């Protein structure tokens, strides 16, 4: 399967702990996006990368959040000192502007985080 | 900035009946418009998209959507709903050439009655 993959699928942690999520985009896609989705809402944009460069961050991305895409392939999203309000589904998507289907983002299955 | 409104939080239809899910957007220029479907606990699957050209676009699973600029709408339709269509549906709008800032509606939950 060549879709977007995310690991882990579920994470339960205690408040104050750090967590890290991984996203592997579709292999030829050079753009990678992170979103957060809370219950009953649509996804909210967090940040995106073009290759290894992080080009935009949402104001939702507090100082406790950091994302990397060191080699322009997979990406990690780390949340430090987790809070209960961080409980959500974290979605990753990828796209490749320049293809005929350029502006469509393809999503992974998400990582559901529960902070106790 | 662009925004999306999905007026219906929850819709129930009988299996075999037709379906229309509403989506209204706010955007100054020509938008890129998308419909995604999400099953419980899963990521989003792209149903269809509109960039330009024919305002009636066909998607997967028998869905179609029509872009109406005068009404700022991009409603999703299906002539005959199947039980497997029960899911959450999201409309999204992006900016041509700058689609990193895609905005999603709050979603419409579809229930299908036998």
């Amino acid at each position: 399967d060549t879709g977007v993959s995310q690991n882990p699928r579920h994470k339960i942690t205690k408040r104050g702990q750090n967590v890290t999520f991984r996203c592997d985009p579709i292999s030829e896609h050079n753009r990678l996006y992170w979103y957060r989705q809370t219950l009953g809402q649509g996804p909210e944009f967090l940040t995106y990368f073009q290759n290894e460069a992080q080009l935009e961050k949402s104001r939702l991305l507090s100082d406790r959040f950091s994302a990397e895409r060191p080699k322009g392939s997979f990406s990690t999203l780390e949340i430090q000192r987790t809070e209960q309000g961080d409980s959500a589904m974290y979605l990753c998507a990828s796209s490749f502007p320049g293809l005929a289907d350029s502006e469509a983002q393809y999503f992974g299955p998400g990582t559901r985080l529960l902070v106790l | 900035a662009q925004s999306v409104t999905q007026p219906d939080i929850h819709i129930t239809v009988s299996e075999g009946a037709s379906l229309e899910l509403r989506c209204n957007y706010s955007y100054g220029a020509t938008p890129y418009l998308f419909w995604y479907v999400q099953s419980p606990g899963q990521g989003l699957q792209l149903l269809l998209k509109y960039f330009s050209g024919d305002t009636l676009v066909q998607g997967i699973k028998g869905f179609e959507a029509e872009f109406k600029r005068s009404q700022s709408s991009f409603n999703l339709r299906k002539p005959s709903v199947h039980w497997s269509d029960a899911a959450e549906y999201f409309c999204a709008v992006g900016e041509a050439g700058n689609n990193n800032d895609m905005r999603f509606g709050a979603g419409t939950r579809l229930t299908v009655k036998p």
Side-chain angles (χ1 to χ4, degrees):
Chain A
D1 183 86
T2 58
V4 179
S5 62
Q6 292 186 246
N7 289 288
R9 293 293 308 277
H10 300 90
K11 179 69 177 179
I12 300 174
T13 190
K14 293 182 179 179
R15 188 177 53 186
Q17 298 294 305
N18 299 343
V19 294
T20 299
F21 310 141
R22 177 179 169 127
C23 171
D24 288 88
I26 293 172
S27 59
E28 63 268 28
H29 286 188
N30 61 351
R31 285 194 180 177
L32 186 149
Y33 311 79
W34 284 100
Y35 291 83
R36 182 177 69 186
Q37 184 181 24
T38 53
L39 205 59
Q41 298 298 316
E44 297 173 293
F45 170 80
L46 292 178
T47 188
Y48 99 100
F49 292 83
Q50 173 132 342
N51 300 312
E52 66 276 8
Q54 188 173 16
L55 297 186
E56 188 168 339
K57 298 182 192 179
S58 161
R59 58 181 173 78
L60 295 174
L61 212 66
S62 75
D63 292 345
R64 297 184 296 105
F65 287 70
S66 62
E68 294 182 341
R69 193 182 185 199
K71 297 182 180 179
S73 56
F74 73 92
S75 175
T76 57
L77 178 69
E78 181 182 16
I79 309 174
Q80 296 181 326
R81 306 181 302 282
T82 52
E83 301 173 356
Q84 289 181 325
D86 297 330
S87 296
M89 174 82 92
Y90 290 85
L91 294 164
C92 176
S94 68
S95 71
F96 186 10
L99 290 177
D101 202 7
S102 60
E103 300 294 348
Q105 296 181 20
Y106 292 87
F107 284 79
T111 296
R112 182 169 295 281
L113 172 67
L114 177 60
V115 181
L116 300 175
Chain B
Q2 59 265 39
S3 66
V4 178
T5 302
Q6 293 181 247
D8 304 306
I9 296 173
H10 184 205
I11 283 183
T12 300
V13 300
S14 297
E15 190 169 16
S18 63
L19 171 70
E20 182 168 26
L21 302 182
R22 295 185 290 165
C23 172
N24 293 99
Y25 67 91
S26 172
Y27 187 63
T30 299
Y32 283 2
L33 294 159
F34 307 85
W35 275 99
Y36 287 86
V37 61
Q38 185 178 37
S39 297
Q42 301 298 314
L44 281 72
Q45 181 182 22
L46 180 67
L47 284 177
L48 47 78
K49 58 193 179 292
Y50 171 79
F51 295 154
S52 64
D54 192 347
T55 56
L56 182 64
V57 293
Q58 302 296 320
I60 62 171
K61 305 186 179 185
F63 286 92
E64 67 177 27
E66 186 170 13
F67 170 56
K68 293 186 177 180
R69 184 187 299 276
S70 61
Q71 298 177 19
S72 297
S73 69
F74 189 57
N75 294 349
L76 181 71
R77 301 195 292 250
K78 186 169 184 177
S80 177
V81 169
H82 188 262
W83 65 266
S84 61
D85 294 324
E88 189 92 18
Y89 290 80
F90 293 95
C91 181
V93 61
E95 178 182 349
N98 186 29
N99 202 39
N100 48 289
D101 192 9
M102 193 160 66
R103 302 296 176 93
F104 285 81
T108 297
R109 183 162 60 93
L110 174 65
T111 297
V112 180
K113 292 191 301 185

